[in-house]
Amino acid sequence: MDGDGGRLDRPKEPRRSPLPRWDPEAFGRASELIARFLGTGRFIACMTVFVVAWLAWNTLAPRPLRFDPFPFIFLTLMLSLQASYSAPLILLAQYRQADRDRVNLEQDRARDERSIADTEFLTREIASLRAGLGEVATRDWIRSEFEGLVRELDEGRPAPSRAPSREERDR
């Protein structure tokens, strides 16, 4: 076979397309910027000033200078065109935000599950420590035992006999 065209162990070179290539993330970021701007007070104020200026010019200017007479068809066309472009851009921005929210929600759920598991582990550890402390002589218990022994010695009673220690038995 001539050249690499017939080889199956190598991928083919991508074909050149007459269409321009663009980064879909760049388009998404641009749509988010536009959607954020369309939702601001600055946009509403600028659009209000633009429409008022348009209406004022086309009603107060001399007739030969008016370019959009009373029904303001050109203004209506421009506003419709703006709406037809802004609505899909806003929807695209909302879809992208919904995707980000879904990823954040999944991460929050995983973090919550880890926190619950850690909390349950710590609860079991504290319970086992409490159970272990029930068998340990506390300071108050030892103090009360010593006070009881001191009282018995003061009263003249002999101290209770104790078993001989290992060292005493070995002698």
Side-chain angles (χ1 to χ4, degrees):
M1 297 207 171
D2 194 23
D4 289 333
R7 304 249 350 207
L8 296 177
D9 60 342
R10 290 189 209 143
K12 287 185 173 183
E13 292 286 327
R15 294 183 187 184
R16 290 187 178 218
S17 173
L19 301 175
R21 291 186 180 200
W22 67 85
D23 180 19
E25 288 299 314
F27 186 74
R29 286 189 300 271
S31 68
E32 286 176 350
L33 288 173
I34 292 169
R36 281 192 197 112
F37 175 70
L38 290 176
T40 62
R42 182 187 312 163
F43 171 75
I44 294 171
C46 291
M47 191 55 116
T48 302
V49 167
F50 174 76
V51 170
V52 167
W54 185 287
L55 295 175
W57 179 267
N58 286 299
T59 55
L60 302 176
R63 267 201 204 283
L65 296 177
R66 295 180 191 171
F67 55 89
D68 193 16
F70 169 64
F72 307 115
I73 294 174
F74 188 51
L75 176 64
T76 305
L77 176 68
M78 286 180 42
L79 293 176
S80 298
L81 183 65
Q82 178 208 4
S84 70
Y85 274 103
S86 63
L89 290 175
I90 291 170
L91 285 175
L92 178 62
Q94 287 177 341
Y95 289 144
R96 287 173 53 90
Q97 184 62 42
D99 291 341
R100 281 194 298 273
D101 290 344
R102 187 173 31 258
V103 168
N104 287 338
L105 182 63
E106 289 172 4
Q107 290 174 348
D108 288 345
R109 282 186 183 150
R111 189 177 317 115
D112 290 345
E113 289 173 3
R114 287 192 306 269
S115 295
I116 289 171
D118 290 345
T119 304
E120 289 173 352
F121 172 76
L122 290 174
T123 303
R124 287 191 302 270
E125 288 295 314
I126 289 173
S128 68
L129 286 173
R130 283 185 179 168
L133 279 177
E135 300 169 4
V136 174
T138 62
R139 182 179 359 164
D140 293 336
W141 182 80
I142 293 173
R143 183 176 291 138
S144 68
E145 288 295 315
F146 280 141
E147 288 172 356
L149 288 173
V150 167
R151 239 182 274 119
E152 286 178 12
L153 287 174
D154 286 343
E155 292 175 0
R157 293 186 192 157
S161 63
R162 59 178 179 83
S165 68
R166 185 179 269 175
E167 294 172 359
E168 292 173 351
R169 279 186 281 156
D170 290 342
R171 285 190 197 171

